[in-house]
Amino acid sequence: MDALHNQALRLTRHPEDASDIVQETYLRAYRTFANFKEGTNCKAWLFTILYSIFVNKYRKHQREVDTVSIEELEQTFHRTLTDGDWEKKFVALTKSELDWQEPELNQALAKLPEDFRSAVLLVDVQAFTYEEAAAALKCPVGTVRSRLFRARRMLFLELKDYARKIGLMREPPS
């Protein structure tokens, strides 16, 4: 068990995560003990299971989008955004003939929490009405509006440099 824990600690660099992986390794070994071939190296079998669990967790973590708390978003917004016309500029940005398949746009959308991303995709990309989006998302229209407001703030912060680069926004005067 110590050897497994030490290996897990080297892989994860966090004692709690290492303990979780070792525990899951033993659980999986118990459940799949019928797959163990008698006469083979049990330690190697356990290390294989441990590594498999680590890789699966790592890959799952890589697919997960980092989320931002609403409070953190508000602080970032107020700290970095001094432009009072951000919403008009965002609407101009979304109403222009943007290719939503552009990598910059896809990356910005991917950073949004799922609920916010869904609202933006339905309303701003697919041109659904608020009512249609609310029906599709199975939530009140006010919730859709709230999600859009916050999502648009996040997107504006992510895309303002891109908008300047493609000429949709002018550089602020120095």
Side-chain angles (χ1 to χ4, degrees):
M1 190 165 181
D2 287 340
L4 280 174
H5 188 268
N6 289 337
Q7 180 65 14
L9 194 54
R10 279 187 221 102
L11 292 170
T12 65
R13 298 186 184 120
H14 299 291
E16 300 83 20
D17 293 339
S19 296
D20 290 345
I21 288 178
V22 170
Q23 183 177 5
E24 194 169 335
T25 299
Y26 278 109
L27 180 62
R28 188 175 296 174
Y30 178 77
R31 286 183 180 160
T32 62
F33 191 71
N35 295 342
F36 177 70
K37 292 182 175 77
E38 200 170 323
T40 60
N41 188 340
C42 182
K43 185 175 180 180
W45 182 63
L46 289 172
F47 272 80
T48 302
I49 294 171
L50 179 118
Y51 186 71
S52 173
I53 290 168
F54 169 75
V55 168
N56 290 341
K57 285 182 180 284
Y58 176 79
R59 286 181 182 156
K60 181 181 177 187
H61 180 72
Q62 293 296 81
R63 288 189 307 263
E64 291 175 354
V65 177
D66 291 335
T67 58
V68 178
S69 72
I70 298 302
E71 294 79 24
E72 186 178 336
L73 170 65
E74 294 293 331
Q75 288 173 357
T76 301
F77 179 76
H78 291 298
R79 198 171 48 245
T80 61
L81 190 59
T82 57
D83 188 346
D85 291 334
W86 75 269
E87 198 162 16
K88 288 179 189 172
K89 290 178 180 177
F90 180 80
V91 169
L93 178 66
T94 59
K95 297 303 180 206
S96 65
E97 295 301 318
L98 286 180
D99 180 5
W100 284 92
Q101 298 305 315
E102 287 287 325
E104 291 89 348
L105 297 171
N106 269 327
Q107 288 172 356
L109 283 170
K111 290 181 179 179
L112 293 176
E114 179 60 36
D115 291 339
F116 292 3
R117 184 172 50 246
S118 297
V120 168
L121 288 173
L122 291 174
V123 175
D124 291 333
V125 178
Q126 299 298 327
F128 279 36
T129 65
Y130 290 126
E131 291 77 15
E132 292 169 334
L137 297 172
K138 296 183 176 105
C139 67
V141 173
T143 302
V144 170
R145 290 179 188 269
S146 174
R147 289 176 184 172
L148 277 171
F149 180 77
R150 289 189 169 103
R152 286 172 177 165
R153 280 182 167 187
M154 288 185 224
L155 282 174
F156 182 77
L157 290 173
E158 287 292 322
L159 294 174
K160 66 182 179 180
D161 291 335
Y162 173 72
R164 285 187 187 112
K165 184 175 94 177
I166 64 172
L168 290 174
M169 282 176 52
R170 291 185 305 198
E171 290 294 324
S174 307

